[in-house]
Amino acid sequence: MRIFLQGASGRMGQAVKVAAAKEGYEILDSTIPDTIGKADVVIDFSSHEVTAPLVATAAEHGKPVVIGTTGHNEAEREAILSYTSRIPIVWAGNFSLGVNLLFYLAEKVAATLPLSYHPEIVEMHHRHKKDAPSGTAENLVEAVLRGRQWSADKVKHGRSGITGERPDEEIGVHALRGGEVVGEHSLIFAGPGERLQLQHQATDRRIFAEGSLVAARWIIAKQPGLYNMQDVLELK
Ligand code: NAD
């Protein structure tokens, strides 16, 4: 497999290079124009503002794209989604098996527990991370919203001041930053007399890198459309 990798010099880019070398995959030099035409697949671990231009170039060449970058704004999201009619795209805020199982469980738990069990999400990442909350925390929020059949107005980012009593229909989301933490996510359902807590800790970036390669292998044979890691891992 020949991979055009955007963000090759970054923390994730380096991890993808190591994982690709283990599998015998070739990483093409992304600084040479038109290299993308020689790739089987494009992988993006860079910065939110450069994902859509990359996807546009991939679409011109008919290449499938795996997007790992997070922190896109609404306009960038729409621009990226507009290409899903032309090329297959796997877009995932987190490529780890454990986290994708967590999304699956989050929806089931949210659908099963009564409203008196209050969902709160806490995430922690290294000090260099540029967006908050993490893409994974956003995906967890979406899973809980689906499970509870709530709309996005139930989300409460952080709390400060005289906040009043917590309503049943709310999801609190809290982002911690510091040190070298690779990525930790907790989903807490605090109920009357008990608390259920689902927690994931990433200890090595290689889980994301290897997951992105699984997605890359999977998407090469797919029809144009938008896919996530739950599709790739058949967790639905
Ligand atoms: P990083 O800062 O270490 O690396 C970013 C890379 O993008 C660098 O190579 C940099 O040169 C490149 N880049 C930045 N701006 C650019 C621009 N304007 N044009 C071209 N290249 C540009 O960051 P990182 O820790 O490797 O994370 C990269 C992205 O991947 C972030 O959005 C992060 O949240 C995300 N991420 C996703 C997952 C996942 O599983 N989906 C896991 C970890 C990180």
Side-chain angles (χ1 to χ4, degrees):
M1 189 159 68
R2 281 164 303 177
I3 301 164
F4 183 93
L5 176 61
Q6 177 161 274
S9 63
R11 280 175 287 264
M12 276 311 304
Q14 298 292 333
V16 171
K17 280 190 197 167
V18 171
K22 272 192 204 148
E23 299 284 337
Y25 300 151
E26 192 183 345
I27 302 287
L28 301 176
D29 186 346
S30 56
T31 58
I32 301 170
D34 295 334
T35 307
I36 206 164
K38 300 192 183 84
D40 298 309
V41 63
V42 174
I43 299 182
D44 177 43
F45 278 108
S46 58
S47 187
H48 63 96
E49 74 276 20
V50 283
T51 303
L54 175 70
V55 172
T57 311
E60 274 167 32
H61 290 84
K63 304 294 179 185
V65 184
V66 173
I67 302 173
T69 304
T70 63
H72 303 95
N73 62 34
E74 208 40 52
E76 290 164 347
R77 264 178 223 267
E78 275 176 29
I80 295 163
L81 289 174
S82 71
Y83 294 99
T84 56
S85 57
R86 291 169 59 187
I87 50 170
I89 297 179
V90 176
W91 195 354
N94 194 305
F95 286 104
S96 96
L97 173 60
V99 158
N100 283 281
L101 259 174
L102 178 60
F103 295 149
Y104 175 83
L105 295 171
E107 184 172 342
K108 300 269 174 240
V109 174
T112 307
L113 289 174
L115 286 180
S116 55
Y117 286 70
H118 301 144
E120 294 278 314
I121 292 167
V122 184
E123 57 104 331
M124 181 159 193
H125 283 82
H126 55 88
R127 64 192 294 246
H128 306 291
K129 185 162 177 62
K130 296 186 183 70
D131 53 317
S134 67
T136 304
E138 284 177 349
N139 294 157
L140 264 179
V141 166
E142 286 157 16
V144 173
L145 291 175
R146 278 196 304 277
R148 286 268 152 113
Q149 297 183 321
W150 287 347
S151 54
D153 61 352
K154 308 291 186 203
V155 181
K156 185 92 174 176
H157 290 280
R159 291 190 185 87
S160 154
I162 312 297
T163 57
E165 198 171 307
R166 184 202 202 283
D168 281 343
E169 298 198 10
E170 185 168 286
I171 311 175
V173 184
H174 314 276
L176 283 54
R177 293 288 174 270
E180 298 174 342
V181 178
V182 173
E184 297 183 3
H185 293 86
S186 292
L187 170 60
I188 299 153
F189 286 89
E194 64 174 348
R195 193 168 82 211
L196 174 62
Q197 188 157 332
L198 303 170
Q199 189 174 38
H200 181 269
Q201 297 185 345
T203 52
D204 194 315
R205 284 186 181 81
R206 73 165 194 251
I207 57 164
F208 309 130
E210 288 166 3
S212 74
L213 294 180
V214 170
R217 227 168 14 235
W218 181 87
I219 203 174
I220 283 176
K222 290 291 175 286
Q223 294 299 312
L226 178 66
Y227 305 93
N228 60 27
M229 269 317 264
Q230 301 202 47
D231 298 317
V232 175
L233 298 169
E234 295 180 3
L235 291 177
K236 284 182 175 164

